[in-house]
Amino acid sequence: MDAKDLQKWQREKAKELFDYSHTLLEAAKKLSEHHMAEIEWGMKNALDSAKSAAKNDLSKLKDLQEEATKEAAKRAAAYQKKVKSVLKELGDGAADETEKHLEKVRSSLVNWLEDAENKMPAHADKLSKVVHEMSTTGQNMFKEGRRIVNEVAEAAEKNIDNLVHKSPASKKKSD
């Protein structure tokens, strides 16, 4: 790799890192907006509860607490979905970038082997085919692994959702 190629590669890497840092910054911004909304809601809820307690209105305080509990559950579910979507975006972006880099590596390796075939004696074509097949298999394994990870994550999320939905129902039955 000569100096020009190295500088070009370094510029590409710097741009990729810069783009990825902006992606992470946007993800943090999305999540912090939700945190601010939660803080504001918590402050409003605490203020309402304090007013009811100051007036010694215990029935209203109890109603406020029940309402706050239900609202908190809804907000937690919404937050979970938001976090999941942000993480999925980040994960997909990272996997896409990794796949792109693997393709570049595979392509470079194939080019090198094709160049080496011209310089190497007999049986170089067989070596080239073996390496080409290995790199293609590795790329396919990466894609399959990515698909399996996504399936497992979706199944786990469904199981968690089922557990969450069953949990309040079982509490209501026992009350």
Side-chain angles (χ1 to χ4, degrees):
M1 184 178 269
D2 65 356
K4 276 187 176 180
D5 289 339
L6 183 61
Q7 285 179 344
K8 181 182 175 188
W9 180 79
Q10 286 174 335
R11 279 193 300 273
E12 287 175 7
K13 292 296 156 209
K15 185 183 180 316
E16 285 179 24
L17 290 173
F18 186 73
D19 290 344
Y20 195 66
S21 69
H22 276 278
T23 303
L24 291 174
L25 184 63
E26 284 299 314
K29 183 179 173 186
K30 287 178 185 177
L31 295 177
S32 65
E33 287 171 357
H34 185 81
H35 285 282
M36 285 303 297
E38 284 298 305
I39 290 170
E40 289 171 0
W41 177 79
M43 288 172 36
K44 179 194 167 294
N45 188 40
L47 185 61
D48 290 344
S49 295
K51 286 179 183 177
S52 294
K55 292 179 183 176
N56 209 14
D57 189 353
L58 297 179
S59 63
K60 185 174 182 182
L61 184 60
K62 183 179 177 183
D63 292 342
L64 282 172
Q65 288 175 341
E66 287 177 6
E67 185 180 324
T69 303
K70 290 176 186 175
E71 183 66 22
K74 289 179 192 175
R75 294 173 80 84
Y79 180 69
Q80 178 186 9
K81 288 179 183 177
K82 180 172 278 204
V83 168
K84 180 188 174 230
S85 71
V86 167
L87 291 177
K88 185 170 172 63
E89 286 175 22
L90 288 174
D92 287 346
D96 290 342
E97 286 298 313
T98 302
E99 194 171 335
K100 181 178 80 173
H101 289 296
L102 286 174
E103 177 58 31
K104 282 183 182 179
V105 168
R106 189 181 77 78
S107 175
S108 295
L109 186 59
V110 168
N111 289 340
W112 176 80
L113 284 171
E114 287 173 355
D115 185 46
E117 278 180 11
N118 298 331
K119 298 175 184 175
M120 291 174 70
H123 304 295
D125 59 333
K126 292 178 183 176
L127 174 64
S128 174
K129 286 179 183 176
V130 167
V131 173
H132 187 276
E133 288 176 12
M134 287 174 57
S135 65
T136 302
T137 302
Q139 188 175 13
N140 291 338
M141 288 172 56
F142 176 79
K143 288 179 182 177
E144 184 66 15
R146 183 176 172 190
R147 184 189 63 77
I148 290 170
V149 166
N150 286 338
E151 284 180 7
V152 168
E154 287 176 17
E157 183 185 350
K158 286 179 185 175
N159 288 340
I160 289 170
D161 286 344
N162 289 341
L163 183 63
V164 167
H165 291 300
K166 288 179 183 177
S167 190
S170 62
K171 285 182 181 179
K172 289 179 183 175
K173 288 178 185 175
S174 65
D175 287 345

